[in-house]
Amino acid sequence: MSARAAWRLETLGFTDVYDYVHGMADWGAAGLPREGLAASRPSAGDAAEPDAPTCTLADDLRSVRERVRRSGWSLCVVVVNEQRIVLGRLGRQALAADDRRTVEQAMSEGPSTVRPNVDLAELLERLEQKKLAAAIVTTSDGKLVGVVRPDRAAQLPA
């Protein structure tokens, strides 16, 4: 809300009023609660699976590969730090290769990500057009929300 609107609400007697200076776009990109029309349409954040396999730069690639296989995921593994900030991605090729590289050597740096407030239908269309198997969802400061897999996301109610 604008500073002017916040001040007006205070003059009307509201006491819990905050001026979110970064604006509504940042609010949604941070995955914070939505209202109105925005809340009625599924978003990337709604479809993001928070249990997507993750690993750190220090993890052994062979153990990551086995963990991913046991989990039933094959699409991607997100490389994160202790704060769950996305640093990279291990794709199918990196996971399929039987070599002795480290996670850091095998990962793709700076993977493409989307924000939680992205319209799910638009995201699924984009994934289909680009023939992508998944989308990594992060907040505006890079923290992992989850991974959207089109086959699972299509099962969400419209």
Side-chain angles (χ1 to χ4, degrees):
M1 107 175 24
S2 73
R4 183 175 43 184
W7 283 111
R8 178 64 179 130
L9 288 171
E10 284 188 5
T11 66
L12 293 171
F14 290 91
T15 56
D16 263 347
V17 178
Y18 301 91
D19 178 16
Y20 189 75
V21 294
H22 300 294
M24 286 301 296
D26 185 69
W27 180 274
L32 297 169
R34 305 164 306 182
E35 292 182 355
L37 283 177
S40 66
R41 292 189 309 269
S43 69
D46 297 330
E49 297 177 64
D51 61 341
T54 62
C55 62
T56 67
L57 296 174
D59 287 342
D60 174 68
L61 186 56
R62 283 185 172 190
S63 63
V64 170
R65 184 180 301 119
E66 287 307 311
R67 188 165 23 109
V68 170
R69 286 184 183 144
R70 284 193 309 270
S71 72
W73 284 72
S74 63
L75 300 174
C76 80
V77 173
V78 182
V79 182
V80 297
N81 66 9
E82 295 78 25
Q83 291 77 34
R84 292 184 53 88
I85 303 299
V86 174
L87 304 175
R89 176 183 164 278
L90 288 173
R92 287 180 177 163
Q93 288 181 338
L95 289 170
D98 193 19
D99 56 30
R100 299 190 187 281
R101 291 183 295 168
T102 65
V103 166
E104 188 170 12
Q105 291 169 328
M107 76 176 191
S108 300
E109 300 228 22
S112 179
T113 63
V114 297
R115 300 295 167 260
N117 61 327
V118 168
D119 183 79
L120 182 58
E122 291 175 17
L123 175 60
L124 294 176
E125 186 177 317
R126 192 176 344 152
L127 290 174
E128 184 178 329
Q129 287 174 351
K130 294 184 178 192
K131 297 183 181 5
L132 297 174
I136 300 171
V137 182
T138 65
T139 61
S140 52
D141 58 354
K143 187 173 183 179
L144 179 65
V145 172
V147 175
V148 173
R149 296 187 284 180
D151 56 335
R152 297 277 179 104
Q155 298 171 5
L156 285 178

